[in-house]
Amino acid sequence: MKEIHYSLHLEFRLKFREIPYELPCKIYKTSKEKYFDNETKKLIIIGIAEYKGKLREIVVVYEEDDGKINIVTFHPLKQYQKISRIKSGRWRKI
């Protein structure tokens, strides 16, 4: 298994939003829905998790480099965001 690291930005967001520390890693390891973001040149994984008392789709943005995974950020996804990014070609399924 590749080493997983969190960016400082992600660590700040997790604390600020009171999100369990292990959640981005769990989504990365268990989710199957993966995309490449043509605009940011980052990799995207979408998973489902409880967020603020509701089950939500969550985006985990990450980079792979020399066998290491760096999770850059994490945020809940609105349904229209996912559909529009796929239709526009911004997100390409991998």
Side-chain angles (χ1 to χ4, degrees), residues 40-74:
T40 65
K41 307 301 184 210
K42 303 269 190 268
L43 296 161
I44 306 287
I45 286 186
I46 299 174
I48 297 175
E50 188 172 325
Y51 179 73
K52 294 194 175 183
K54 296 179 185 177
L55 280 180
R56 301 276 307 268
E57 284 191 304
I58 304 290
V59 171
V60 173
V61 179
Y62 69 101
E63 301 170 311
E64 287 187 35
D65 188 31
D66 293 331
K68 295 179 184 174
I69 303 300
N70 184 41
I71 299 180
V72 177
T73 195
F74 163 104

Side-chain angles (χ1 to χ4, degrees), residues 2-18:
K2 298 176 183 179
E3 284 183 49
I4 297 176
H5 301 273
Y6 285 6
S7 70
L8 293 175
H9 170 76
L10 176 62
E11 289 183 359
F12 171 78
R13 303 254 319 209
L14 293 173
K15 285 179 189 175
F16 181 75
R17 292 183 168 183
E18 299 177 349

Side-chain angles (χ1 to χ4, degrees), residues 27 38 55 70 77 88 92:
I27 290 172
N38 288 304
L55 280 180
N70 184 41
L77 182 64
S88 71
R92 178 177 40 89

Side-chain angles (χ1 to χ4, degrees), residues 27-35 44-47 93-94:
I27 290 172
Y28 173 82
K29 288 179 178 179
T30 61
S31 297
K32 305 286 185 237
E33 191 173 1
K34 298 180 181 185
Y35 297 91
I44 306 287
I45 286 186
I46 299 174
K93 193 153 183 82
I94 53 174

